[in-house]
Amino acid sequence: MLDFEYYNPTRIIFGRESIAKIHSLLENYGENIMLLYGGGSIKKNGIFDKVMEQLRDKNVIEMGGIEPNPTIETIRRYIQKCREEKVEFILGVGGGSVMDSAKMIGAGAVYDGDVWDFFKNHDQLPEAMLPVATVVTLAGTGSEANQNFVVTNPDTCEKIGKNGGPACFPEFAVCDPQLTFTVNAYQTASGAFDTIAHVFEHYFAEADQYMPVQDGMQEAVIRAVITELPRAIKEPDNYEARANLMWAAQQALFGIADMGKGHGERVEHKMEHILSARYNCAHGAGLAVVVPPFRKHMCRLNPAKYRQFAENVFHIDCTGLSDYEAGMKGITALEDFIKSVGLPASLREIGAESESDVDFLAEELVRQGRVTKGTGIGLKELKEMYASVY
Ligand code: NZQ
Ligand code: ZN
């Protein structure tokens, strides 16, 4: 097990009508509150009114319009607005795009310089952030209770994720599974698959070491997604299914389940980020396309762990099979699951229009220096993987 320190100061308020606690939670913060949200779904499903009721004593600076896969241009504009309005607290109400933006705006508002260079430089962490809190309306990224954020620069076709460090945790996260009842089947599946991909990156790391606590927790998270996602698709207002998906998503990137493990090189996330930068596809949908080819590649290097996955997650009887054969059965089961929940399995389904995109995607990733040698993956392997799912 790798050495670790665990730190997460975010207060999690989970359950029905947890929005009603926002008023008292905000008592000790300033008057000027930026209410950040996305394209307007919160106005259609009533979440906006409920939040506004909680902000009744505050001076609310309403800022909608955060786009899925937020761009650096939007973040720069909102930072400017934040300064002009002397914002003292940011409440992000939405999915990962809004919650990430709240952190980026909060960190950018107290930083003197251009935020793109700042966020891109992984050696430089924000020293401070305006206080931020989140209200989750889409389960998947876990952004509500972690210090990470992701931003896109469409001009350079780059999408970068950053671990913002200790300053970037939200003060509190309001997690009412009922708020996700209106998320459509595709976005629900996309968020849920994001959860699986987050677990994978840690689950398959340090595979030669015995870590039954972490493995057991991670397998439980994936199994929960596999049983609960079909339930939530069939019955969008099934509280239990939505609650289990929300908690699974949070646990996947909360830190506890993966303490003591590394995170590999997060290659599939990097492979996906170039997809959403180019096609503006849903993040989890892009992951559904690239995770299977990437894991097939890795199964050859490390088959015993993939056998464990097949047996413990999908309960496949692998008697008589080699580790590799057993592991591949697990990945096939995952591919079947992806199709069964309506997620895409090819680049064409998320927007690719020409086979030349395969070369573009692979070359772009290498050009951006996103893939290193650790996994034995270079340009040739990337091209093979993208081509296999064109
Ligand atoms: O914009 P609105 O109107 O809110 O609609 C959104 C959006 O169209 C809609 N939606 C959200 N809640 C809803 C709802 N529709 C109906 N009812 C509700 N209750 O869903 C659409 C997608 O929302 P978005 O926030 O973009 O999705 P997601 O939560 O998947 O977030 C994706 C972003 O998070 C980043 C991704 O790269 C992407 O930019 N990630 C952040 C991570 C983190 N902070 O740790 C980790 C992830 O790996 C990920 O990269
Ligand atoms: Zn993700």
Side-chain angles (χ1 to χ4, degrees):
M1 200 181 299
L2 305 177
D3 300 343
F4 65 86
E5 260 183 48
Y6 183 73
Y7 175 73
N8 188 326
T10 303
R11 178 190 297 260
I12 293 170
I13 300 120
F14 196 103
R16 293 178 176 87
E17 311 309 332
S18 38
I19 277 188
K21 301 193 177 150
I22 293 178
H23 185 260
S24 60
L25 285 163
L26 287 180
E27 245 168 32
N28 297 326
Y29 295 99
E31 289 307 298
N32 296 338
I33 304 235
M34 178 181 273
L35 171 56
L36 196 69
Y37 59 92
S41 65
I42 67 164
K43 291 212 164 168
K44 291 192 205 120
N45 56 23
I47 297 173
F48 178 82
D49 292 340
K50 286 185 181 172
V51 171
M52 284 302 279
E53 158 62 17
Q54 296 299 311
L55 303 181
R56 54 190 179 271
D57 303 335
K58 303 287 184 182
N59 173 34
V60 179
I61 297 110
E62 188 189 325
M63 295 289 285
I66 295 292
E67 63 274 65
N69 305 316
T71 65
I72 193 68
E73 204 39 57
T74 302
I75 301 302
R76 285 188 185 117
R77 255 190 310 118
Y78 284 37
I79 289 171
Q80 183 59 28
K81 180 83 178 165
C82 201
R83 289 180 183 145
E84 285 165 13
E85 301 283 350
K86 303 197 170 15
V87 166
E88 294 162 280
F89 191 98
I90 305 175
L91 184 64
V93 184
S97 296
V98 170
M99 297 188 287
D100 283 5
S101 298
K103 296 175 208 171
M104 290 187 274
I105 296 165
V110 294
Y111 175 74
D112 196 15
D114 182 63
V115 280
W116 176 251
D117 296 336
F118 181 36
F119 294 156
K120 219 178 142 177
N121 181 352
H122 288 287
D123 296 328
Q124 204 183 3
L125 290 181
E127 283 171 16
M129 178 175 84
L130 285 180
V132 163
T134 55
V135 177
V136 197
T137 68
L138 195 174
T141 60
S143 180
E144 60 272 21
N146 69 38
Q147 72 282 43
N148 305 327
F149 48 80
V150 182
V151 64
T152 300
N153 186 341
D155 296 339
T156 56
C157 201
E158 285 172 285
K159 187 176 189 187
I160 50 161
K162 189 173 178 94
N163 176 332
C168 290
F169 285 97
E171 303 288 302
F172 60 86
V174 172
C175 314
D176 178 350
Q178 296 176 118
L179 305 186
T180 64
F181 285 177
T182 53
V183 180
N184 67 27
Y186 191 76
Q187 289 291 350
T188 301
S190 172
F193 195 78
D194 194 18
T195 299
I196 293 181
H198 293 156
V199 175
F200 269 15
E201 288 176 347
H202 302 103
Y203 180 72
F204 291 111
E206 323 306 331
D208 53 336
Q209 297 182 32
Y210 181 57
M211 287 187 245
V213 174
Q214 292 90 328
D215 279 1
M217 290 172 85
Q218 292 174 329
E219 286 162 2
V221 170
I222 305 176
R223 280 196 306 268
V225 172
I226 286 166
T227 59
E228 301 305 278
L229 174 57
R231 284 176 88 200
I233 290 175
K234 204 164 156 212
E235 299 167 52
D237 55 0
N238 184 319
Y239 182 85
E240 194 174 66
R242 293 290 191 177
N244 287 328
L245 286 177
M246 189 174 270
W247 190 233
Q250 227 169 80
Q251 287 308 301
L253 266 196
F254 195 56
I256 289 182
D258 52 87
M259 279 298 105
K261 292 198 172 194
H263 47 64
E265 298 214 0
R266 308 198 77 223
V267 175
E268 60 252 85
H269 260 74
K270 291 171 183 168
M271 288 178 74
E272 191 299 305
H273 281 168
I274 192 94
L275 300 184
S276 38
R278 183 158 171 90
Y279 307 121
N280 201 14
C281 60
H283 169 61
L287 284 166
V289 175
V290 295
V291 165
F294 175 67
R295 289 296 156 194
K296 283 178 190 166
H297 176 87
M298 298 304 284
C299 181
R300 270 178 285 168
L301 310 178
N302 180 10
K305 191 76 188 182
Y306 288 79
R307 172 184 211 112
Q308 181 185 330
F309 168 72
E311 290 180 335
N312 291 359
V313 172
F314 281 107
H315 304 300
I316 297 171
D317 179 3
C318 298
T319 317
L321 299 180
S322 69
D323 287 348
Y324 178 73
E325 289 165 342
M328 289 300 280
K329 272 196 175 261
I331 299 172
T332 304
L334 184 72
E335 288 178 310
D336 292 343
F337 174 73
I338 288 170
K339 287 186 194 133
S340 74
V341 294
L343 283 169
S346 69
L347 295 174
R348 273 163 301 155
E349 288 167 80
I350 55 168
E353 288 177 350
S354 152
E355 230 168 327
S356 63
D357 278 22
V358 166
D359 289 347
F360 172 83
L361 295 168
E363 281 160 13
E364 214 21 57
L365 262 195
V366 172
R367 185 189 68 75
Q368 292 178 16
R370 306 294 306 280
V371 179
T372 52
K373 297 273 181 236
T375 47
I377 291 172
L379 187 59
K380 177 171 158 286
E381 291 76 17
L382 283 171
K383 282 187 183 177
E384 281 168 8
M385 287 190 269
Y386 282 126
S388 71
V389 288
Y390 174 72

